[in-house]
Amino acid sequence: MANPGSAELFDTKVEVHDRKQFELKLEYQPSGTDPKSEYLVDTIFFIPRSLNIDAETWSRDQFYADLHNYVRLKTPVLSFDEILTGSHSPLVQLEQRLPLGLMGPVSEVVYDAKMLACVARGALRRFSRGMKKECAHLLRGAETEKCAPAESPAHLMELARKSINASQEILRRFRSTSAQLAEKYELGEKAQAALRLVDEYLSLTVEQFFRRIVVQMESMPRSGVYVELRRELMDVVITDESYRRAKKWPSVLAAEGDNEEYSHRLGFLKKFCMNILFLKVQRSSKRKAWEEVLFAIAAGGSMAFALGVGLFAQSRYPQASFNFFMLAVVGYMFKDRMKEALRRILAAYMGKFLYERTTVIVDPVTQDDVGVCREKLDYGDNVQVPPEIAKLRAQDDLVTVAQSELSETVIRYRKRIALDSEMLPRIADGIVSGVTDIIRLNIDRLLHDMDDPEYALDYVDLEDFSVGKLQMAKSYRVDVAFRFAVDDGRHQRTTVRLVRFVLDRNGIKRMTDLVPETVLTESAPAHVTVPPGRPAPVTQ
């Protein structure tokens, strides 16, 4: 369990999602010590000028269209024992409906089943990580002692067998309860289909993680207890695969073929079960309303100028004279240009303070507001790079020159989130402790003006002076700096991080961590008392 004043209140993760997208995963986990918890995400892109990126070629509308945002509740953290026996366990709540009745609409039965799939997946993921950690620990110990890993790894065996028994018990009880509910009550075809899909996803999830563990044990000895453990883990995989085959579900891996149906079904079932965690977002643009007010002021100022010129001309010259005509025309010309100039000046000035998009995060079940998110995008001269970010990049001559003699395009994306800390404990029976914010940015626009990813270079052999060709790879470097800040009552924390994306025309080749996440400032109490009824922050 994490200390409420620790870094787990705001957890960040940056990774490559695929060749065209990178993903920023943010986990907000308020401590509950303050009614409002605020988070600031500052992302600054340093893009080579040769890629032809600016406010015109990658406009605000295009940037936001390439930015995909998913906001969901943090998956509740329940251990296998808590899933099997805890009062807040969705499995236990499903079983209580048998003697007590449905106790609500049929949709609540489906909700509990989906929540069970979510928490079971989380428990299996932690089990997989625990097994990987134990295997790595045994290998490190064996390497230090210059001997084979322990012949009887008690902790590893205990962890594996306990998790095997627990996962099988969860599947057995869920299938039994689902069958009895369908037999005892009129659930309807849609609800019964949903329970079958949850059953299939639970089976696939168990198979997926147990197979992953066997793969992680590749470096372990292929003898003795390790062979026995692999066999026990694979027995679970084979059992669940046989179960789905008996049900005539197409989600069975084939040794030959592309397994397209398996992949599609796994992806669909994951989205189907986890959609209960996703929050509804309602976007608006308050900046546009303020801009209309500013444009009206600009129009009024230019009209006042034109009217002043007209009154001056009327007082000096007869209305039918040529001089009056010329002054009126010149006044109108200046009025038109002044209007546009004032619009640009006021928009640029107010753009420093106004956020472009406002998103209200709403619980789709209760329709209560969970929080508010504001976003802002700045280009070029409007971007003021914080000193701490500029310092991160002063690491080699190439970067130093790029920031001075060679021009770069600088884009700054800011996101400010304010969460209602008192609302989260009232969601999903109090087992939800935070919000997960997933941001994916499609970088396809950066690739348009790139050269071919490969070219040939002439090569001369030094021995016989024969001429050949060497293959050369053409790539581009885009640095992305992050500044993360959290203000959670008595806990404030600011961190920075610098990553580099190496791109070619085909997309992202790799991501390099130039500067790992580093704490700039932190202020946290030694002990925080969590209010009654508020789940303490935990880590997965």
Side-chain angles (χ1 to χ4, degrees):
M1 186 169 293
N3 187 326
S6 67
E8 283 73 20
L9 292 172
F10 189 15
D11 192 23
T12 65
K13 185 179 181 181
V14 184
E15 61 185 4
V16 177
H17 181 263
D18 55 43
R19 288 283 287 181
K20 297 292 182 71
Q21 297 182 100
F22 76 87
E23 179 177 285
L24 176 60
K25 186 175 182 181
L26 310 167
E27 291 191 350
Y28 317 120
Q29 193 160 285
S31 65
T33 59
D34 196 68
K36 293 289 182 183
S37 297
E38 293 192 354
Y39 305 85
L40 177 64
V41 181
D42 212 345
T43 307
I44 304 178
F45 301 84
F46 300 92
I47 305 171
R49 182 68 71 178
S50 58
L51 296 184
N52 190 30
I53 297 296
D54 55 30
E56 294 183 358
T57 58
W58 203 16
S59 66
R60 283 185 170 85
D61 290 340
Q62 291 172 329
F63 183 91
Y64 285 122
D66 291 335
L67 192 71
H68 306 286
N69 200 189
Y70 310 90
V71 183
R72 63 175 176 84
L73 298 172
K74 183 178 171 66
T75 304
V77 180
L78 298 180
S79 66
F80 284 123
D81 288 341
E82 289 172 325
I83 294 174
L84 290 169
T85 61
S87 59
H88 291 302
S89 166
L91 176 60
V92 173
Q93 293 181 354
L94 268 177
E95 291 175 329
Q96 289 175 348
R97 296 180 188 275
L98 282 172
L100 301 178
L102 294 182
M103 301 181 295
V106 174
S107 59
E108 292 186 4
V109 174
V110 177
Y111 179 90
D112 285 340
K114 289 184 177 182
M115 184 61 76
L116 173 62
C118 294
V119 298
R121 176 181 171 81
L124 286 166
R125 183 171 57 245
R126 292 189 296 278
F127 164 50
S128 173
R129 291 173 179 171
M131 289 290 290
K132 183 178 180 180
K133 183 178 179 181
E134 284 297 320
C135 289
H137 176 71
L138 288 170
L139 289 173
R140 282 197 303 269
E143 184 178 349
T144 302
E145 300 293 332
K146 295 183 179 180
C147 62
E151 295 183 1
S152 180
H155 194 207
L156 186 72
M157 298 297 293
E158 180 185 1
L159 174 63
R161 286 174 176 160
K162 180 180 178 181
S163 300
I164 289 172
N165 294 334
S167 62
Q168 295 304 291
E169 180 68 8
I170 290 171
L171 290 175
R172 185 193 66 78
R173 284 170 55 178
F174 172 73
R175 289 163 183 169
S176 173
T177 303
S178 299
Q180 293 180 63
L181 285 171
E183 181 180 349
K184 189 173 182 179
Y185 303 106
E186 291 292 334
L187 298 181
E189 182 56 34
K190 185 176 181 180
Q192 292 185 49
L195 292 177
R196 289 194 293 269
L197 292 179
V198 172
D199 185 9
E200 183 178 0
Y201 181 63
L202 281 169
S203 175
L204 283 167
T205 304
V206 169
E207 175 191 306
Q208 179 185 22
F209 282 101
F210 275 71
R211 181 182 283 112
R212 182 181 300 176
I213 294 167
V214 176
V215 173
Q216 291 170 352
M217 295 181 64
E218 177 67 21
S219 301
M220 306 304 290
R222 296 184 177 275
S223 60
V225 70
Y226 295 102
V227 172
E228 180 183 346
L229 181 56
R230 284 190 180 96
R231 187 175 292 113
E232 291 181 25
L233 293 169
M234 284 306 298
D235 283 344
V236 176
V237 174
I238 294 170
T239 299
D240 274 286
E241 189 175 81
S242 301
Y243 174 79
R244 297 196 305 278
R245 186 178 283 110
K247 290 285 186 178
K248 301 188 183 308
W249 292 333
S251 51
V252 178
L253 281 174
E256 298 179 355
D258 58 6
N259 288 295
E260 177 187 352
E261 183 65 24
Y262 180 95
S263 175
H264 168 74
R265 203 163 179 90
L266 179 62
F268 177 88
L269 291 173
K270 181 180 179 181
K271 294 181 180 69
F272 172 76
C273 291
M274 298 194 70
N275 66 359
I276 60 167
L277 296 176
F278 282 84
L279 297 168
K280 185 169 66 174
V281 295
Q282 299 173 346
R283 289 196 173 93
S284 62
S285 180
K286 295 183 178 179
R287 174 168 174 165
K288 289 184 177 179
W290 279 104
E291 282 181 343
E292 293 301 325
V293 174
L294 295 176
F295 293 164
I297 294 174
S302 61
M303 186 61 192
F305 172 80
L307 186 59
V309 172
L311 292 174
F312 172 77
Q314 188 179 31
S315 65
R316 294 290 301 271
Y317 307 103
Q319 292 188 10
S321 68
F322 178 76
N323 290 335
F324 176 82
F325 171 78
M326 289 300 298
L327 277 174
V329 171
V330 170
Y332 180 81
M333 291 167 55
F334 274 93
K335 172 253 181 186
D336 187 61
R337 292 302 88 202
M338 182 181 293
K339 176 183 175 182
E340 293 301 319
L342 285 174
R343 286 180 60 165
R344 287 195 298 269
I345 292 171
L346 291 175
Y349 178 74
M350 294 304 295
K352 298 178 180 179
F353 310 101
L354 294 178
Y355 284 87
E356 292 151 355
R357 295 204 308 182
T358 300
T359 302
V360 179
I361 305 170
V362 180
D363 177 16
V365 178
T366 63
Q367 301 301 314
D368 292 325
D369 291 349
V370 177
V372 177
C373 168
R374 295 179 176 85
E375 298 168 278
K376 189 175 185 301
L377 192 67
D378 293 317
Y379 292 87
D381 295 336
N382 292 328
V383 177
Q384 294 184 355
V385 179
E388 58 268 25
I389 297 297
K391 185 178 180 180
L392 290 182
R393 299 194 72 218
Q395 54 183 315
D396 59 46
D397 292 341
L398 291 179
V399 174
T400 302
V401 170
Q403 294 184 88
S404 56
E405 296 185 25
L406 297 179
S407 58
E408 290 181 309
T409 298
V410 183
I411 300 177
R412 184 176 188 178
Y413 168 70
R414 277 181 281 180
K415 185 170 186 174
R416 185 179 294 275
I417 303 95
L419 292 181
D420 186 344
S421 302
E422 297 177 347
M423 178 59 61
L424 290 175
R426 299 198 288 269
I427 299 177
D429 296 324
I431 61 176
V432 171
S433 61
V435 172
T436 299
D437 186 5
I438 300 173
I439 304 170
R440 290 178 189 159
L441 180 64
N442 190 309
I443 52 88
D444 189 58
R445 179 61 192 86
L446 303 181
L447 314 179
H448 288 188
D449 294 320
M450 288 187 177
D451 296 335
D452 291 333
E454 295 180 356
Y455 64 96
L457 182 70
D458 292 332
Y459 170 76
V460 179
D461 188 274
L462 294 179
E463 293 185 1
D464 58 6
F465 298 103
S466 59
V467 177
K469 297 286 186 180
L470 288 180
Q471 182 178 349
M472 303 291 287
K474 177 70 173 179
S475 63
Y476 300 80
R477 272 67 172 163
V478 174
D479 290 351
V480 183
F482 300 95
R483 184 176 182 271
F484 305 111
V486 56
D487 184 353
D488 187 76
R490 288 180 288 171
H491 179 269
Q492 292 85 35
R493 178 184 173 93
T494 302
T495 62
V496 291
R497 182 178 180 181
L498 180 65
V499 302
R500 172 171 292 169
F501 291 97
V502 179
L503 315 176
D504 62 18
R505 182 174 281 184
N506 296 322
I508 302 173
K509 295 182 68 175
R510 62 184 178 274
M511 184 189 83
T512 305
D513 233 339
L514 296 182
V515 180
E517 189 165 355
T518 306
V519 178
L520 286 183
T521 60
E522 182 168 21
S523 173
H527 177 72
V528 176
T529 302
V530 179
R534 170 68 175 170
V538 293
T539 57
Q540 293 195 43

